[in-house]
Amino acid sequence: MSNVNVASYLAEQKKTTDKDLAAEWTVLEELYNEKLWNELTIKVDTFVKHPALQNEEALLALYHNFIASFETKINPYGLVEILTVVISYLSDKKEAIAFLEKLKDKVKICDQAVWMCKVLQGQIHLEHLNQLDETKKIIEDLKDILEEAGNVTPVHGKYYMLAANYYRLVGQHSDYYRCGLQFLGCSIDTYPKDQWAQQAFCLGLAALLGEGIYNIGELLAHPILESLNGTENEWLVELLRAFNSGDIVKFEQMKPKWSSIADLAAQEVKLRQKISLLCLMEMTFKRPANKRTITFDEIAKEAKLPIKEVEILIMKALAQGLVKGAIDEVAGVVNMTWVQPRVLDRKQVAGMASTLDTWMSSITSMEQLIESRASEILTN
């Protein structure tokens, strides 16, 4: 685009009767004429969000008559951020996909800019075109690339939100839970507070329903759960704590609450199996390393299971790598040697501190015993 056309477009825009808006156009013109591309990028990034421009016609005119004239001169990722607003107002979403495809070629010298274009395409495929296969391909294509990026980029949070939304839609609870937590780890500071409660509720359900999700403490430690305090879903935090500590009595007491959620009620058997496994993990964790021989009777009592189902429970825990140990069928005991590490709550940390105190006392006693008998040992 020629400078004459740009000048003509800017001159026309400055004729607006809105004095504040006219002043904005004047600043843009000055930055453009002085070729202050960095300052212009920052200014345009704010300007595209101006209330007077929030329609397809105005934003496309801004792009074609102004931004396109210097798009190769500014930071590629900055260009993508600016055009994200323009793309969001395109009524033809297939045209928006094509627009982003062309944009990828223009910003190919910057990996982050290309990644962002792909994420934006994924959002359109998922939210507007309901094209799940195309969304899945983008998520899978970017997964390894972003994991190997070496550091967290501004794209990571947007990618994890895209992936979480996709997995929630297709009912993959475990993947949704993991991506949801990764999203919060990247973008919690910019995530709108009015959406916290909904996200917390969905993550809580995913933690309970997800296959292989036993590290519930990671979610319990996150401040987003506080958004459920004082809401109708506050009970979910209490249920998550019950699962984290393997408290089957609490789980059964809360059945009137959690069974009101159709997804949880439909998976009652699986929930019972999961909390039984967590109960076994908690029993192992609480015991000192030298006292981890647990009888089948103790497990049956704690997990509220018939004695004949205890061995099956232990075998499931061993098969999933939740614990390590050996079953002695004759003696009716299991000798535990290890339990999978988890994020601990305050009560569990206090229990660990007590265990450490016991170890220190044992070490001190042994040290004193050796000192008192040192001469006896040396002379013999």
Side-chain angles (χ1 to χ4, degrees):
M1 177 174 294
S2 69
N3 290 337
V4 174
N5 289 338
V6 172
S8 174
Y9 171 73
L10 293 175
E12 187 65 29
Q13 301 309 309
K14 287 191 295 181
K15 293 178 181 178
T16 177
T17 55
D18 185 332
K19 292 183 178 179
D20 292 334
L21 182 58
E24 294 281 324
W25 283 110
T26 300
V27 172
L28 289 173
E29 183 179 42
E30 290 171 355
L31 293 173
Y32 176 80
N33 290 335
E34 293 175 20
K35 296 181 172 57
L36 297 174
W37 306 127
N38 185 55
E39 291 82 351
L40 183 58
T41 303
I42 295 170
K43 183 63 181 177
V44 173
D45 186 47
T46 303
F47 186 67
V48 289
K49 303 178 184 73
H50 194 285
L53 298 174
Q54 301 313 293
N55 62 80
E56 181 178 3
E57 183 181 356
L59 286 169
L60 281 177
L62 176 66
Y63 171 70
H64 290 300
N65 294 303
F66 185 53
I67 298 173
S69 67
F70 59 87
E71 63 184 358
T72 59
K73 298 180 176 67
I74 64 176
N75 177 279
Y77 187 78
L79 175 63
V80 175
E81 284 196 310
I82 290 169
L83 295 184
T84 296
V85 180
V86 178
I87 293 161
S88 68
Y89 279 91
L90 294 182
S91 55
D92 186 337
K93 295 306 175 182
K94 290 183 178 179
E95 182 184 329
I97 295 286
F99 187 101
L100 284 164
E101 200 62 37
K102 293 176 183 176
L103 183 57
K104 277 194 286 186
D105 286 334
K106 295 175 182 178
V107 299
K108 61 186 176 183
I109 60 170
C110 174
D111 289 340
Q112 288 186 36
V114 174
W115 301 341
M116 187 61 183
C117 287
K118 290 182 177 181
V119 169
L120 291 171
Q121 286 180 317
Q123 290 174 348
I124 295 170
H125 282 306
L126 182 66
E127 297 170 12
H128 299 284
L129 301 176
N130 196 32
Q131 296 174 330
L132 299 181
D133 290 341
E134 287 81 354
T135 307
K136 182 181 179 181
K137 186 177 186 308
I138 289 171
I139 291 170
E140 291 176 346
D141 288 347
L142 286 175
K143 181 180 179 182
D144 291 338
I145 293 172
L146 292 178
E147 286 180 355
E148 295 169 8
N151 60 300
V152 177
T153 70
V155 183
H156 278 74
K158 294 178 174 63
Y159 166 79
Y160 288 127
M161 175 54 88
L162 169 66
N165 287 339
Y166 168 78
Y167 290 128
R168 182 172 63 178
L169 192 62
V170 298
Q172 293 180 220
H173 302 297
S174 300
D175 290 322
Y176 167 68
Y177 179 73
R178 295 187 184 98
C179 288
L181 283 180
Q182 287 173 306
F183 164 72
L184 293 178
C186 297
S187 306
I188 189 64
D189 292 336
T190 57
Y191 193 50
K193 285 286 183 75
D194 61 353
Q195 297 180 30
W196 278 34
Q198 179 63 29
Q199 183 76 350
F201 182 71
C202 291
L203 282 171
L205 294 185
L208 298 174
L209 295 169
E211 291 284 344
I213 302 295
Y214 295 97
N215 192 3
I216 298 173
E218 190 172 2
L219 177 58
L220 284 170
H222 202 285
I224 196 169
L225 279 190
E226 295 175 7
S227 64
L228 293 177
N229 294 341
T231 71
E232 61 180 357
N233 295 321
E234 187 174 8
W235 59 268
L236 182 58
V237 180
E238 192 176 354
L239 183 61
L240 288 168
R241 291 197 181 103
F243 267 76
N244 193 52
S245 61
D247 189 343
I248 294 174
V249 173
K250 190 69 175 177
F251 169 70
E252 292 174 345
Q253 289 175 347
M254 293 189 67
K255 185 174 179 178
K257 284 283 188 182
W258 59 258
S259 62
S260 64
I261 305 299
D263 287 346
L264 296 181
Q267 299 296 327
E268 182 175 356
V269 174
K270 286 188 176 181
L271 291 174
R272 188 65 170 73
Q273 291 173 347
K274 173 178 273 193
I275 198 168
S276 296
L277 288 167
L278 284 161
C279 177
L280 180 60
M281 291 176 71
E282 189 69 11
M283 288 179 72
T284 306
F285 172 76
K286 284 180 178 178
R287 290 170 176 251
N290 60 347
K291 294 181 180 179
R292 284 187 171 172
T293 297
I294 312 174
T295 68
F296 286 10
D297 287 334
E298 288 175 313
I299 296 171
K301 182 180 178 182
E302 193 78 17
K304 309 293 182 190
L305 286 174
I307 194 74
K308 64 181 181 180
E309 294 183 17
V310 168
E311 189 173 357
I312 297 172
L313 176 68
I314 298 169
M315 291 173 68
K316 283 181 179 177
L318 291 169
Q320 293 188 46
L322 303 178
V323 294
K324 292 179 182 179
I327 299 173
D328 186 338
E329 291 183 70
V330 177
V333 300
V334 58
N335 300 301
M336 296 296 193
T337 58
W338 177 87
V339 61
Q340 186 185 86
R342 295 180 293 157
V343 175
L344 306 179
D345 60 25
R346 291 178 182 271
K347 188 176 180 181
Q348 290 168 323
V349 171
M352 179 176 280
S354 177
T355 301
L356 289 172
D357 288 340
T358 303
W359 286 354
M360 289 301 296
S361 297
S362 299
I363 292 169
T364 302
S365 298
M366 182 59 69
E367 183 182 11
Q368 291 170 349
L369 178 63
I370 293 172
E371 285 179 356
S372 65
R373 296 188 177 180
S375 58
E376 185 181 326
I377 295 169
L378 290 172
T379 54
N380 290 335

